[in-house]
Amino acid sequence: MTKRQHTKLVHEGKYVAEIDVEILDTGDGWSPYLSLEDAQKIDEVREALREGSLQRATKIARVFSLTPVSA
């Protein structure tokens, strides 16, 4: 089994969060995949952003605010 670091992006409303996760590759038909803890971490950040709880989201991930660009 090999493990590698990866950054997942979660976009919710006007925010984007970068979450550091570990990708597991076992070489079988279901890989690569995330650990249960990393999947729960992504879900928790997504839920916090939906609720507008930036303080909770920033404890787990790096959060950025999106600004529209007019052409």
Side-chain angles (χ1 to χ4, degrees):
M1 175 179 0
T2 60
K3 298 178 182 180
R4 58 187 160 97
Q5 293 296 318
H6 185 71
T7 301
K8 288 291 218 181
L9 297 176
V10 174
H11 174 228
E12 201 56 56
K14 64 178 187 174
Y15 299 104
V16 172
E18 287 183 344
I19 307 163
D20 294 326
V21 295
E22 195 171 67
I23 302 289
L24 306 171
D25 192 354
T26 58
D28 62 9
W30 288 98
S31 65
Y33 59 91
L34 298 172
S35 69
L36 179 60
E37 293 82 19
D38 284 341
Q40 289 172 338
K41 189 167 40 169
I42 292 170
D43 288 342
E44 186 174 344
V45 170
R46 182 177 287 118
E47 181 181 329
L49 292 177
R50 278 188 189 148
E51 295 172 355
S53 178
L54 297 179
Q55 186 176 15
R56 193 171 94 195
T58 56
K59 288 181 181 178
I60 303 168
R62 293 173 300 281
V63 178
F64 300 90
S65 175
L66 297 174
T67 306
V69 178
S70 58

